[in-house]
Structure formats: C-alpha cells, structure tokens
Amino acid sequence: MTIERFRIHRLNIPLVRPFRTSFGTETLRDVILVEAVSSDGISGWGECVTMSWPGYSYEYGDNAIHVMENHLLPALATVADTDDPYEVRAAMEVVAGNPMAKNAMSTAMLDVWLREQGESLAHYLGAVKDEVDCGVSVGININESVDELLAEVAGYVDEGYRRIKLKIQPGWDVEPLRAVREAWPTIPLQTDANQAYQRSDAQHLASLDQFDLLLHEQPLEQDDWYGHVLMSQACQTPICMDESIHSVMSADSALQFGACSIINIKPGRVGSYLTGKEIHDLCLERGAPVWAGGMLETGVGRAANVALAALPGFTLPGDTSGSSRYYEVDVTEPFVLQDGRLPVPTGPGIGVDPLPDVLREMTVWSTDLTVT
Ligand code: NPQ
Ligand code: MG
C-alpha cells in the first residue's frame, strides 16, 4: 500500500435542532472528512471531529486543517508505504497534541489498508458483537424549559434509545433530572457537565444520587484530577471522565488515583482508534467499564465508532446515536436504530462510503494534498 494523496473535504450540515451544552450552542456542523487515496486508487476515510471554534477543546476546524497540511502531511509521508498502522501512529508523534487531526488522517490511512486486505475495522480492532446498544445525548433545552425537554426525551424513548444522557450545568440539573426520572422511572440515565462545576459543588452533585444515575461525565475542569477524586468520594453515582483522558497514561492515572471509575472513549480525543483500543484493553483488565463517546459524527465517523463500541469492554450504551439524531441527510447511508441498537458494519475498512451526490452538494471547501 502506498498513500499518494489526501483530500480534505469540508462540509456544512445543518443540525436537526440546536445542540446546547455548558460551553455553547451549535446549529450547524462544520464537518471535516479526510480521504486518503492509494496508488491502486483505493480511497479510505477518516472524520476530523473538531468544532468550528475551540469550545469542547483547543482544537478547531481551521487549526486542524493547518496542522494536517503543514505538520502531519510531511510526518505521514515518511510512512506512506508502511503496512503497519502502529508505525503510522508513531510517525505522528513528532507533532504534539492535536489528536483530532491525527485521528482523521491516520484513520483514513487505516481504512485504505483494511480495504486492501478486505478486513473490517471491527474485526481488526477485536469486535465481539454484531450490534451495539445506543444512547442519546440530550442538550440543555434552548429555552431552559423542562416541558420542552420532556417532549424531546419522549421522542428518543419512542425511537428505542437504551440510555438517556442529559447535558447539565449549574442551574440546569436537579429539575430536568427529576422530571426525566419521574417520567421514566427505570430508564438508564446519566449526566454530562462538560467541566461546568467546581470542587465546591461536590455536595450539590451528591444530591443528584437520588435520581439513580449511571454516571456523571466530566463534572470538573479537565486538569482538576484531585477535584475528580473528591467528587468520586462525595458521590454514590460513579464519575466518568471525557475531556481529561488523552492517552493510555491519563486513563491509567485516572483509575489509579480514583478520579473516575468509568471512561468515555473518543478516538478523536486520544489521537487514534489504536489508542482507543488500548485504553479499552487497560480498562477491561482493570474491570472499569468504558463506552463510546460521540462528536456529532457523520456516517463516516459513526461507522468507525460503532466498530470500536463492539469490543467486549464497551459494556455501557454509547453516544452512538442514529443519523437522524443530528442530521436530516447524512453523508453516508443513514444509520438507523433497530430496537435501540445499531448494526456493526461488516464491509472492508469502516464499511461505509460517502454518497457522492451528498458529498458534492454539502462541500463548501476542499483541498488536495500530495504525498511527496
Ligand atoms: C461530549 N458530545 O460528550 C460531546 C460534546 C459535544 C454527543 O454529547 C459540535 C461538535 C458540537 C462536537 C457539542 C456529545 C458538539 C460537539 C457537544 C461535541 O462531551
Ligand atoms: Mg462528554
């Protein structure tokens, strides 16, 4: 396999409804897809899960494209003909940070390699399931209306989602959680604060134990390791980390310190599916549950996330929602929930392709990068 070029496709896709979190509101997804093309003319795909501005993390679309063009492209040129995906990951170590950019380019290369071998990503990663349980992430209601929230959640429950995650922040936590718990007394329910609380909120978060929650995701700032230890001690509800976890070492530290007992795995946050798998392996060995995060991916990123979620340690439903949760029209054939689950793609590589017409219609910018 030799990678001859990359093409970066930038698309604008409207969301079916605004998505509000503690760090801001999104109405349009600024999608970046990376296509790697081999000398045999085989294309592989990776999705760069950046937002258009640095909200969830410091990475954002313009910055990721700059890093891909100017820093990752020359690094990857040194391994353009390798048949070892781990060598590809090692070659990117000359660039610090920027995991979303790294994940997008290396997944596109991995996809080419797997397609040439005729092997699915799920099989390559060690999947043991042919379908995965799906949860849904529900934003802070744009009007801070609990009634509107209940109507939105009711729609997801009717669609069959197996777990509800409410985005929370100070002032939007007790009431929405109480209302959802009263309306659905047994549905698996969890929270995600995206770092919105302080250490001094420990007793407040502990008061949410009454709602019988699966976990609290990232209540405190990503660097506040000790705060998460205190939070884990204060709450009966398990603490899960998202933004804090960037590597196998941070996952190991989090579990060893008792900062959390559950980990959200997002390949874009840790730099590659290989690292996502390694974090999974570590957690499985330690008996710590993991689940697949989501970044409003199109079908390209969604397909790969569903493959990862089919590994044995993914024992909690992921943010692997159906395409319709975010998009009226997806870039690939849509992922449609069947009884609250999504089928794991079985075709070579990620197992899906962008639909040429949709890609053409939604692309706002693209560029070709030649590997030299
Ligand atoms: C999380 N995702 O787990 C993220 C946060 C998030 C599904 O809750 C545009 C692109 C908007 C990525 C909003 C979910 C986003 C985004 C929220 C990611 O923390
Ligand atoms: Mg999160």
Side-chain angles (χ1 to χ4, degrees):
M1 175 197 86
T2 301
I3 302 296
E4 284 195 333
R5 62 186 174 88
F6 291 92
R7 187 172 180 82
I8 301 177
H9 307 255
R10 200 165 189 178
L11 290 66
N12 275 350
I13 315 186
L15 297 176
V16 292
R17 50 156 53 92
F19 191 39
R20 179 173 170 190
T21 66
S22 60
F23 58 81
T25 303
E26 293 282 283
T27 53
L28 188 77
R29 189 74 178 94
D30 175 18
V31 172
I32 297 172
L33 300 179
V34 175
E35 177 183 10
V37 185
S38 76
S39 47
D40 305 326
I42 293 183
S43 283
W45 294 87
E47 182 157 348
C48 181
V49 298
T50 43
M51 298 171 55
S52 57
W53 52 283
Y56 169 84
S57 80
Y58 66 84
E59 279 188 283
Y60 64 102
D62 292 343
N63 137 275
I65 289 171
H66 181 93
V67 169
M68 288 194 271
E69 285 194 39
N70 295 282
H71 303 289
L72 291 174
L73 180 66
L76 291 170
T78 67
V79 289
D81 56 3
T82 184
D83 58 2
D84 181 359
Y86 288 83
E87 270 186 25
V88 171
R89 183 177 63 171
M92 298 190 299
E93 284 172 14
V94 295
V95 175
N98 292 282
M100 296 177 185
K102 287 175 177 172
N103 179 56
M105 292 192 92
S106 61
T107 302
M109 291 177 72
L110 177 61
D111 189 31
V112 171
W113 184 74
L114 289 167
R115 285 174 196 246
E116 292 199 342
Q117 321 252 340
E119 184 179 11
S120 70
L121 177 63
H123 183 266
Y124 174 73
L125 293 174
V128 295
K129 289 176 267 192
D130 56 15
E131 53 183 9
V132 301
D133 288 352
C134 297
V136 61
S137 176
V138 186
I140 295 165
N141 183 262
I142 212 82
N143 303 312
E144 299 183 27
S145 155
V146 171
D147 287 343
E148 287 178 20
L149 175 78
L150 288 176
E152 183 180 352
V153 172
Y156 299 136
V157 172
D158 288 347
E159 286 179 61
Y161 283 103
R162 290 173 174 263
R163 175 276 271 158
I164 303 294
K165 155 170 147 182
L166 294 191
K167 291 291 191 178
I168 61 168
Q169 66 183 17
W172 180 262
D173 47 22
V174 178
E175 286 179 48
L177 286 166
R178 172 170 290 127
V180 171
R181 181 45 88 214
E182 278 176 4
W184 294 279
T186 60
I187 198 157
L189 182 62
Q190 65 192 53
T191 75
D192 187 358
N194 289 110
Q195 318 182 61
Y197 291 87
Q198 310 285 323
R199 288 183 187 182
S200 55
D201 294 318
Q203 283 315 309
H204 177 68
L205 281 185
S207 77
L208 306 178
D209 288 343
Q210 62 179 309
F211 301 124
D212 186 22
L213 305 173
L214 279 177
L215 58 88
H216 291 304
E217 182 179 350
Q218 199 72 40
L220 308 176
E221 283 178 33
Q222 63 174 51
D223 293 338
D224 194 3
W225 293 88
Y226 183 54
H228 282 89
V229 173
L230 296 176
M231 205 55 84
S232 295
Q233 291 169 351
C235 298
Q236 295 285 311
T237 302
I239 302 299
C240 169
M241 281 175 149
D242 173 1
E243 288 92 322
S244 296
I245 306 299
H246 300 113
S247 61
V248 174
M249 285 86 75
S250 51
D252 184 39
S253 297
L255 298 176
Q256 297 283 14
F257 290 154
C260 69
S261 56
I262 298 175
I263 289 178
N264 166 322
I265 299 182
K266 290 176 180 168
R269 200 191 61 237
V270 303
S272 80
Y273 281 84
L274 305 179
T275 304
K277 175 190 166 55
E278 288 171 351
I279 293 173
H280 157 274
D281 295 348
L282 171 88
C283 291
L284 188 59
E285 199 179 293
R286 298 281 169 75
V290 300
W291 54 283
M295 292 291 285
L296 285 56
E297 288 88 350
T298 69
V300 169
R302 196 163 298 283
N305 287 349
V306 169
L308 182 67
L311 271 61
F314 284 79
T315 53
L316 293 169
D319 281 345
T320 46
S321 304
S323 298
S324 65
R325 160 65 184 88
Y326 297 112
Y327 306 114
E328 207 128 336
V329 179
D330 202 337
V331 174
T332 62
E333 291 292 342
F335 279 81
V336 180
L337 250 61
Q338 296 163 5
D339 195 22
R341 300 191 175 95
L342 284 180
V344 178
T346 55
I350 64 170
V352 300
D353 281 289
L355 301 166
D357 290 350
V358 181
L359 192 62
R360 200 176 311 114
E361 204 164 296
M362 293 181 170
T363 297
V364 292
W365 178 89
S366 62
T367 192
D368 277 302
L369 309 178
T370 308
V371 177
T372 48

